[in-house]
Amino acid sequence: MVEPRAVVTCSGVHVLGAVLIHPPTSAPSEILHQGAQGWMPGVGLRVAWHRPAGCANQGLQAALHGLSHIMTQELAQHLSDDIILMLSHTRAPVRKRAVLVLHAVILRCPEVLDRTYERLRDLLCDENLGVVTATVNVICELARRNPAPFVPLSPQLFEILTMSNNNWLLIKVIKLFGALSPVEPRLVRKLYKPIMSIMSTTPAMSLLYECIHTAIIGGMLERGDSDELARRCVENLGRFLQDSDQN
């Protein structure tokens, strides 16, 4: 049985983060609903998250990581306010963990997206690359289900596309534009030059593949001036077929 005091101490936060993933006896949902005096998880976590900084940061990250694995609708409802606060935490690793667990919260409570939309926009411009990457990844996953709400984030995403030299981040942003372009056809014209530039310069096969895939599904080859882009796509697809790498 989990005692309430186990989650309001510094060491308890670390234990919480571990027990959410690898509970020794009971399922996570059973552990969270057990405890003296009908302990509610939201209360304990709120106390734990607001402990003094001397014992908090690693525990915060552990607790957030654990929550992302066991999120339920009830937990999402109880903890959404606290997770939203963590999106503005002064430490980048906590902001990164918070935006990752936000994905699980929004899947269980879609209405939370409206409350966090502007904060997601800000996180796309975060000074920390890890936070930006996590935010793009979360938006990319959510847009697979419903891309329309994320079209207004195109200016921030376009800035990442044209300014970043991180291949993994570019792959995610280009994949995301592949989902957004069919919803907002005006993006095709804006994306044409950056996609062409990347295809002309990148040695990274995975990034090149994502450019070709997005050009096809995003409708870029349907433009009247798309002959050069189509030629590059065909040439590179031919290279893929001849490459010794089976992937």
Side-chain angles (χ1 to χ4, degrees):
M1 182 175 294
V2 177
E3 294 293 335
R5 62 178 178 273
V7 296
V8 299
T9 64
C10 179
S11 60
V13 179
H14 290 276
V15 171
L16 176 63
V19 79
L20 291 178
I21 307 170
H22 298 295
T25 54
S26 304
S29 59
E30 293 172 344
I31 290 177
L32 287 170
H33 288 86
Q34 291 175 357
Q37 301 175 351
W39 172 63
M40 289 296 293
V43 176
L45 285 171
R46 289 191 180 104
V47 175
W49 283 355
H50 294 291
R51 298 297 294 172
C55 71
N57 289 321
Q58 289 185 344
L60 279 173
Q61 295 174 59
L64 288 166
H65 179 74
L67 281 170
S68 66
H69 288 275
I70 57 95
M71 187 62 64
T72 64
Q73 185 177 28
E74 183 181 5
L75 279 173
Q77 291 169 343
H78 277 295
L79 301 178
S80 58
D81 288 344
D82 297 281
I83 292 168
I84 292 171
L85 286 176
M86 293 298 103
L87 297 175
S88 301
H89 198 277
T90 56
R91 293 186 62 84
V94 176
R95 295 198 301 277
K96 176 182 175 181
R97 287 292 182 189
V99 76
L100 290 173
V101 77
L102 181 66
H103 175 242
V105 171
I106 292 173
L107 290 182
R108 275 73 178 182
C109 295
E111 65 274 13
V112 173
L113 176 60
D114 291 337
R115 296 165 52 200
T116 56
Y117 193 87
E118 289 305 316
R119 187 64 192 128
L120 287 174
R121 187 192 300 274
D122 293 339
L123 291 172
L124 288 173
C125 305
D126 197 277
E127 61 186 16
N128 183 272
L129 179 61
V131 174
V132 174
T133 302
T135 305
V136 169
N137 192 49
V138 166
I139 294 172
C140 192
E141 291 301 312
L142 293 172
R144 289 173 55 192
R145 295 167 176 262
N146 182 18
F150 303 100
V151 170
L153 299 180
S154 296
Q156 289 74 31
L157 295 168
F158 187 79
E159 183 174 354
I160 295 172
L161 177 66
T162 54
M163 299 298 291
S164 178
N165 58 5
N166 182 293
N167 284 347
W168 192 92
L169 182 56
L170 287 173
I171 288 171
K172 285 293 183 179
V173 170
I174 292 170
K175 185 188 294 287
L176 182 50
F177 274 124
L180 299 182
S181 294
V183 179
E184 178 47 85
R186 289 177 296 180
L187 286 172
V188 172
R189 179 175 59 85
K190 194 171 183 64
L191 292 171
Y192 187 86
K193 287 185 178 180
I195 293 293
M196 281 284 289
S197 176
I198 293 172
M199 290 180 66
S200 302
T201 57
T202 183
M205 300 293 276
S206 55
L207 179 55
L208 187 57
Y209 169 81
E210 204 57 56
C211 287
I212 296 171
H213 186 249
T214 292
I216 295 171
I217 68 172
M220 294 183 193
L221 301 182
E222 298 173 13
R223 286 169 49 99
D225 58 351
S226 64
D227 289 351
E228 178 63 18
L229 178 59
R231 184 182 65 80
R232 289 186 184 274
C233 288
V234 171
E235 287 178 353
N236 284 293
L237 286 172
R239 286 174 53 200
F240 291 160
L241 292 174
Q242 297 171 3
D243 197 280
S244 59
D245 186 347
Q246 295 299 310
N247 291 320

